Amino acid sequence: MSRELIVLGTASQVPTRQRAHNGYLLRWDDQGILFDPGEGCQRQLLLAGAAASDITRICVTHFHGDHCLGLPGIVQRLSLDRVPHEVPVHFPGSGAEFLARLRHASHFHDLARIAECPVDGDGVVAQGPFGTITARRLNHPVESYGYRLAEPDGRRMLPERLAELGVRGPDVGLLQRAGSVVAGGRLVTLAEASEPRPGQVVAFVMDTGWCDNAIRLAEGADLLVIESTFLESEAALAAEAGHLTAAQAARIATEAGVRRLVLTHFSQRHPDASVFGQEAAAHFDGDIVVAEELARVPVPARRA
């Protein structure tokens, strides 16, 4: 089991010699959530050592080409490999026609178990043992949603305290499941032998101008993956196009109390992506990752 982000592409609008179109695979224990499969995503997965069978869910933020034109290849690969599990696809409801075209862009033997899950407003879009996925509308010329995956809060068992209370062996599991157990002639509660363990949170904020929902999605996130298409010197252009600057992305991370900030979706105007990290560092004092193709970014260890 692992929790990490595999970066498949970091380009905005058009690919470059160094940057592939968007694509991000979040490994979350036994889940593989693919965000915004752009052109060439199938090949990038291969280069990253990931398989179509690793994909358990797809989240599309919006239907601009650099965020969705890899979907036909992904769907057809799911069919070719006869991936047995159902793969829900979350997407802006207004783009249902685009999804239909992408799903059936060419002739193929359609065996993929795709569950179409349109997003028609802010709220929870999926729940399961993995946690809760919430979508919120962003600020872009076309309907666009960001996503937030939140693990439920739990409790961390304290070995020394368990020993003091005489709880051992199978009784530890019983205590976790039932909330109490009899040990040493007395009732021991879960609260006595454990402490709160905050659930981990990953937020994915792609094409958007500055908006409150970007901050809400990122609230308390352990890992925030966010577009930073432009620099502050291009702030007017960013606002006109419905995008963020690296400084704005960093300020969102600061306001939201993010732990690790992953910058991506870089304009071809800037061949050297390090400038985005340098600008962000002036506004965010946490961990900053300037995304690169095929990089693996761990979700930070749980908070103490």
Side-chain angles (χ1 to χ4, degrees), residues 11-14 21-23 35-39 59-72 91-92 94-95 98-99 102 139-145 206-208 227 229 240-243 265:
S12 69
Q13 196 170 42
V14 295
H21 262 157
N22 281 283
F35 292 91
D36 282 5
E39 258 183 280
C59 294
V60 177
T61 60
H62 66 294
F63 285 103
H64 276 153
D66 53 329
H67 296 261
C68 67
L69 287 180
L71 195 58
F91 62 95
S94 63
F98 296 120
L99 182 72
L102 291 166
N139 177 21
H140 200 53
V142 301
E143 186 178 28
S144 182
Y145 286 90
M206 213 38 59
D207 294 18
T208 185
E227 71 123 305
T229 309
E240 180 182 349
H243 283 294
H265 197 268

Side-chain angles (χ1 to χ4, degrees), residues 45 71-72 118-119 142 145 161 165 172 201 206 214 217 255 274 278:
L45 282 169
L71 195 58
V119 179
V142 301
Y145 286 90
R161 186 63 179 145
L165 294 167
V172 176
V201 175
M206 213 38 59
L217 287 164
E255 289 197 31
S274 66
Q278 293 165 10

Side-chain angles (χ1 to χ4, degrees), residues 25-187:
L25 180 66
L26 177 65
R27 290 192 183 275
W28 187 264
D29 301 334
D30 62 346
Q31 301 292 301
I33 305 175
L34 179 63
F35 292 91
D36 282 5
E39 258 183 280
C41 187
Q42 183 182 177
R43 184 170 185 273
Q44 291 299 98
L45 282 169
L46 176 66
L47 294 175
S53 58
D54 295 332
I55 301 170
T56 59
R57 187 176 302 272
I58 299 172
C59 294
V60 177
T61 60
H62 66 294
F63 285 103
H64 276 153
D66 53 329
H67 296 261
C68 67
L69 287 180
L71 195 58
I74 294 297
V75 170
Q76 293 186 30
R77 187 58 182 270
L78 292 171
S79 290
L80 182 66
D81 290 357
R82 288 174 164 76
V83 172
H85 55 259
E86 183 178 81
V87 178
V89 179
H90 305 280
F91 62 95
S94 63
E97 180 181 357
F98 296 120
L99 182 72
R101 293 175 186 172
L102 291 166
R103 276 201 62 188
H104 304 287
S106 68
H107 288 291
F108 71 105
H109 189 31
D110 190 0
L111 299 174
R113 295 178 57 200
I114 300 296
E116 297 185 11
C117 304
V119 179
D120 294 313
D122 295 357
V124 173
V125 297
Q127 284 183 302
F130 54 83
T132 300
I133 299 178
T134 303
R136 287 188 180 274
R137 179 77 180 264
L138 297 173
N139 177 21
H140 200 53
V142 301
E143 186 178 28
S144 182
Y145 286 90
Y147 296 94
R148 172 187 175 92
L149 170 58
E151 177 188 40
D153 292 340
R155 298 196 70 85
R156 182 184 293 109
M157 304 307 291
L158 303 173
E160 292 182 2
R161 186 63 179 145
L162 287 168
E164 290 174 9
L165 294 167
V167 181
R168 56 181 60 86
D171 282 347
V172 176
L174 179 60
L175 176 60
Q176 289 176 298
R177 294 189 300 273
S180 65
V181 70
V182 175
R186 66 178 291 261
L187 185 70

